Amino acid sequence: MKIALITGASSGFGERFVANLAEYLKKGDDIDEIWAVARRLERLEKLQNFTEIKVRPVCGDITSNQFLSSLKELFVENKVQIKLLINCAGYGKIGEFDEILLEDNCGQIRLNCEALTAITQIALPYMDKNSDILNVASVAAFLPQPQFAVYAATKSYVLSFSKALRVELKKRNINVTTLCPGPAKTEFFNVAETIKKMPAFKRSFMYDADFVVKKGLKGLKKKRAVIVPGFCMKSFNILCKIIPHKILLAVFK
């Protein structure tokens, strides 16, 4: 059974990847099922309305070792071949580091870094040549983010990890692509803004989630290493490469 495995599929980018994947696959290999992974079963059950590909809801918490073990068992039982892994699950909290609960500071690391790493490792034995991994990072990976410190650090990890893994897996002909979007119109900010709001200047750069996802899938098709959707975010990436971070942080402050 050839599958696409998508984490964080109940909302945001994950949901939109489910909805847009069929169009992407018309130009590529067939997928028998999308395995949509998230904690909210009622949301997962509605995903079939968005796509013509069969969707299998896989409800659970990817930070749980017990769930990861059960997921590996499902791979074995169904004799899966994972053609595409999209790691979308993640969250952030805006606010001063010591304003945010310990549970949330550490929770971001567990979900954004540890769970992404674990899912990737348990999926790899079921991937062969011409398979793809798409890890969702953020433009926050390019520059430390005061009042978004832990989140930005986790996304720097995702970007670094993905670049290194891309080199390692090249000999197996498995592609690894990193998607680095800017702020987007998703439910992400319902959680992120419970303590403080996003700075006003960032709201002017918000993109539509479908725009981000379609750019991601288009870049994945071309086997690109890093995808930064939108002119403004591409410009931000260049600035972070040529201007010392100390200066940029002072300007943004």
mmCIF file of all heavy atoms in Angstrom, residues 13 24 29 39 51 105 109 145 149 154 168 170 189-190 204 219 223 234 242 246:
data_model
loop_
_atom_site.group_PDB
_atom_site.id
_atom_site.type_symbol
_atom_site.label_atom_id
_atom_site.label_comp_id
_atom_site.label_asym_id
_atom_site.label_seq_id
_atom_site.Cartn_x
_atom_site.Cartn_y
_atom_site.Cartn_z
ATOM 1 N N PHE A 13 -1.881 24.090 7.982
ATOM 2 C CA PHE A 13 -1.195 23.598 6.790
ATOM 3 C C PHE A 13 -1.468 22.114 6.553
ATOM 4 O O PHE A 13 -1.596 21.674 5.411
ATOM 5 C CB PHE A 13 0.315 23.826 6.912
ATOM 6 C CG PHE A 13 0.734 25.271 6.860
ATOM 7 C CD1 PHE A 13 1.740 25.739 7.690
ATOM 8 C CD2 PHE A 13 0.138 26.164 5.979
ATOM 9 C CE1 PHE A 13 2.139 27.063 7.651
ATOM 10 C CE2 PHE A 13 0.525 27.492 5.926
ATOM 11 C CZ PHE A 13 1.526 27.946 6.769
ATOM 12 N N TYR A 24 -1.391 17.730 -6.886
ATOM 13 C CA TYR A 24 0.046 17.499 -6.980
ATOM 14 C C TYR A 24 0.332 16.111 -7.537
ATOM 15 O O TYR A 24 1.212 15.919 -8.374
ATOM 16 C CB TYR A 24 0.653 17.673 -5.591
ATOM 17 C CG TYR A 24 2.018 17.053 -5.395
ATOM 18 C CD1 TYR A 24 3.171 17.677 -5.878
ATOM 19 C CD2 TYR A 24 2.170 15.853 -4.701
ATOM 20 C CE1 TYR A 24 4.417 17.121 -5.680
ATOM 21 C CE2 TYR A 24 3.409 15.295 -4.501
ATOM 22 C CZ TYR A 24 4.541 15.929 -4.988
ATOM 23 O OH TYR A 24 5.766 15.371 -4.793
ATOM 24 N N ASP A 29 3.564 10.031 -8.746
ATOM 25 C CA ASP A 29 3.159 8.668 -8.425
ATOM 26 C C ASP A 29 1.806 8.645 -7.737
ATOM 27 O O ASP A 29 1.423 9.574 -7.030
ATOM 28 C CB ASP A 29 4.195 8.021 -7.500
ATOM 29 C CG ASP A 29 5.532 7.836 -8.195
ATOM 30 O OD1 ASP A 29 5.520 7.654 -9.429
ATOM 31 O OD2 ASP A 29 6.568 7.885 -7.516
ATOM 32 N N ARG A 39 -4.682 14.689 16.822
ATOM 33 C CA ARG A 39 -5.369 14.257 18.047
ATOM 34 C C ARG A 39 -6.884 14.368 17.953
ATOM 35 O O ARG A 39 -7.587 13.703 18.702
ATOM 36 C CB ARG A 39 -4.872 15.085 19.236
ATOM 37 C CG ARG A 39 -3.431 14.831 19.618
ATOM 38 C CD ARG A 39 -2.993 15.700 20.763
ATOM 39 N NE ARG A 39 -3.083 17.123 20.429
ATOM 40 C CZ ARG A 39 -2.867 18.110 21.288
ATOM 41 N NH1 ARG A 39 -2.585 17.838 22.543
ATOM 42 N NH2 ARG A 39 -2.948 19.368 20.900
ATOM 43 N N THR A 51 -10.862 15.763 -0.468
ATOM 44 C CA THR A 51 -9.995 15.107 -1.444
ATOM 45 C C THR A 51 -10.623 13.845 -2.001
ATOM 46 O O THR A 51 -11.456 13.199 -1.344
ATOM 47 C CB THR A 51 -8.626 14.764 -0.805
ATOM 48 O OG1 THR A 51 -7.793 14.128 -1.774
ATOM 49 C CG2 THR A 51 -8.785 13.858 0.402
ATOM 50 N N ASN A 105 6.703 25.887 27.044
ATOM 51 C CA ASN A 105 8.061 26.033 26.501
ATOM 52 C C ASN A 105 8.652 24.678 26.136
ATOM 53 O O ASN A 105 9.216 24.495 25.051
ATOM 54 C CB ASN A 105 8.961 26.753 27.509
ATOM 55 C CG ASN A 105 8.817 28.270 27.443
ATOM 56 O OD1 ASN A 105 8.588 28.819 26.370
ATOM 57 N ND2 ASN A 105 8.948 28.927 28.576
ATOM 58 N N ILE A 109 9.173 22.161 22.211
ATOM 59 C CA ILE A 109 10.350 21.369 21.846
ATOM 60 C C ILE A 109 9.957 19.909 21.592
ATOM 61 O O ILE A 109 10.410 19.291 20.624
ATOM 62 C CB ILE A 109 11.418 21.456 22.949
ATOM 63 C CG1 ILE A 109 11.891 22.899 23.104
ATOM 64 C CG2 ILE A 109 12.605 20.541 22.642
ATOM 65 C CD1 ILE A 109 12.753 23.149 24.329
ATOM 66 N N GLN A 145 14.103 35.093 17.575
ATOM 67 C CA GLN A 145 12.875 35.877 17.675
ATOM 68 C C GLN A 145 12.548 36.181 19.136
ATOM 69 O O GLN A 145 11.923 35.346 19.814
ATOM 70 C CB GLN A 145 11.709 35.099 17.056
ATOM 71 C CG GLN A 145 11.910 34.693 15.614
ATOM 72 C CD GLN A 145 11.494 35.772 14.636
ATOM 73 O OE1 GLN A 145 10.426 36.332 14.729
ATOM 74 N NE2 GLN A 145 12.365 36.051 13.689
ATOM 75 N N ALA A 149 10.920 33.069 21.376
ATOM 76 C CA ALA A 149 12.273 32.510 21.458
ATOM 77 C C ALA A 149 12.322 31.003 21.249
ATOM 78 O O ALA A 149 13.122 30.499 20.450
ATOM 79 C CB ALA A 149 12.896 32.873 22.801
ATOM 80 N N THR A 154 13.104 26.105 17.820
ATOM 81 C CA THR A 154 12.676 24.780 17.338
ATOM 82 C C THR A 154 12.673 24.728 15.821
ATOM 83 O O THR A 154 13.010 23.698 15.225
ATOM 84 C CB THR A 154 11.282 24.395 17.868
ATOM 85 O OG1 THR A 154 10.277 25.277 17.339
ATOM 86 C CG2 THR A 154 11.231 24.403 19.392
ATOM 87 N N GLU A 168 22.336 13.102 3.755
ATOM 88 C CA GLU A 168 22.479 11.696 4.136
ATOM 89 C C GLU A 168 21.642 10.774 3.248
ATOM 90 O O GLU A 168 22.077 9.673 2.895
ATOM 91 C CB GLU A 168 22.071 11.505 5.598
ATOM 92 C CG GLU A 168 23.035 12.090 6.603
ATOM 93 C CD GLU A 168 22.632 11.754 8.038
ATOM 94 O OE1 GLU A 168 21.808 10.849 8.229
ATOM 95 O OE2 GLU A 168 23.158 12.402 8.964
ATOM 96 N N LYS A 170 20.490 11.296 0.218
ATOM 97 C CA LYS A 170 20.666 11.422 -1.228
ATOM 98 C C LYS A 170 21.118 10.110 -1.843
ATOM 99 O O LYS A 170 20.686 9.737 -2.937
ATOM 100 C CB LYS A 170 21.668 12.537 -1.537
ATOM 101 C CG LYS A 170 21.798 12.834 -3.019
ATOM 102 C CD LYS A 170 22.718 14.035 -3.264
ATOM 103 C CE LYS A 170 22.802 14.336 -4.754
ATOM 104 N NZ LYS A 170 23.694 15.510 -5.014
ATOM 105 N N PHE A 189 -2.499 30.857 15.317
ATOM 106 C CA PHE A 189 -2.460 32.030 16.196
ATOM 107 C C PHE A 189 -3.533 32.000 17.277
ATOM 108 O O PHE A 189 -3.460 32.783 18.228
ATOM 109 C CB PHE A 189 -2.543 33.306 15.358
ATOM 110 C CG PHE A 189 -1.294 33.545 14.554
ATOM 111 C CD1 PHE A 189 -1.251 33.237 13.205
ATOM 112 C CD2 PHE A 189 -0.148 34.027 15.153
ATOM 113 C CE1 PHE A 189 -0.096 33.422 12.467
ATOM 114 C CE2 PHE A 189 1.021 34.221 14.430
ATOM 115 C CZ PHE A 189 1.044 33.919 13.084
ATOM 116 N N ASN A 190 -4.518 31.104 17.161
ATOM 117 C CA ASN A 190 -5.479 30.941 18.258
ATOM 118 C C ASN A 190 -4.775 30.464 19.524
ATOM 119 O O ASN A 190 -5.167 30.812 20.641
ATOM 120 C CB ASN A 190 -6.563 29.934 17.870
ATOM 121 C CG ASN A 190 -7.436 30.422 16.733
ATOM 122 O OD1 ASN A 190 -7.379 31.598 16.366
ATOM 123 N ND2 ASN A 190 -8.235 29.537 16.173
ATOM 124 N N SER A 204 0.863 42.394 8.390
ATOM 125 C CA SER A 204 0.798 42.880 7.009
ATOM 126 C C SER A 204 1.465 41.923 6.024
ATOM 127 O O SER A 204 1.343 42.095 4.813
ATOM 128 C CB SER A 204 1.444 44.264 6.914
ATOM 129 O OG SER A 204 2.808 44.215 7.290
ATOM 130 N N GLY A 219 7.370 23.181 -5.087
ATOM 131 C CA GLY A 219 8.806 23.094 -4.837
ATOM 132 C C GLY A 219 9.249 21.677 -4.536
ATOM 133 O O GLY A 219 10.343 21.255 -4.920
ATOM 134 N N LYS A 223 12.047 18.919 -6.174
ATOM 135 C CA LYS A 223 13.080 18.426 -5.261
ATOM 136 C C LYS A 223 13.949 19.551 -4.694
ATOM 137 O O LYS A 223 15.147 19.379 -4.450
ATOM 138 C CB LYS A 223 13.984 17.392 -5.959
ATOM 139 C CG LYS A 223 13.249 16.278 -6.675
ATOM 140 C CD LYS A 223 12.495 15.382 -5.723
ATOM 141 C CE LYS A 223 11.883 14.192 -6.453
ATOM 142 N NZ LYS A 223 11.058 13.335 -5.576
ATOM 143 N N LYS A 234 11.028 35.826 1.057
ATOM 144 C CA LYS A 234 12.308 35.583 0.377
ATOM 145 C C LYS A 234 13.279 36.727 0.664
ATOM 146 O O LYS A 234 14.481 36.505 0.899
ATOM 147 C CB LYS A 234 12.090 35.449 -1.133
ATOM 148 C CG LYS A 234 11.463 34.131 -1.575
ATOM 149 C CD LYS A 234 11.364 34.090 -3.090
ATOM 150 C CE LYS A 234 10.939 32.713 -3.594
ATOM 151 N NZ LYS A 234 9.558 32.358 -3.204
ATOM 152 N N ILE A 242 22.747 38.448 4.951
ATOM 153 C CA ILE A 242 23.764 39.453 4.640
ATOM 154 C C ILE A 242 23.943 40.510 5.731
ATOM 155 O O ILE A 242 24.969 41.196 5.766
ATOM 156 C CB ILE A 242 23.468 40.143 3.290
ATOM 157 C CG1 ILE A 242 22.136 40.918 3.349
ATOM 158 C CG2 ILE A 242 23.462 39.127 2.160
ATOM 159 C CD1 ILE A 242 21.839 41.684 2.057
ATOM 160 N N LYS A 246 22.600 40.869 15.036
ATOM 161 C CA LYS A 246 22.543 41.883 16.101
ATOM 162 C C LYS A 246 21.870 43.152 15.598
ATOM 163 O O LYS A 246 21.047 43.767 16.305
ATOM 164 C CB LYS A 246 23.953 42.190 16.601
ATOM 165 C CG LYS A 246 23.995 43.217 17.728
ATOM 166 C CD LYS A 246 25.436 43.461 18.177
ATOM 167 C CE LYS A 246 25.478 44.507 19.282
ATOM 168 N NZ LYS A 246 26.880 44.743 19.737
#
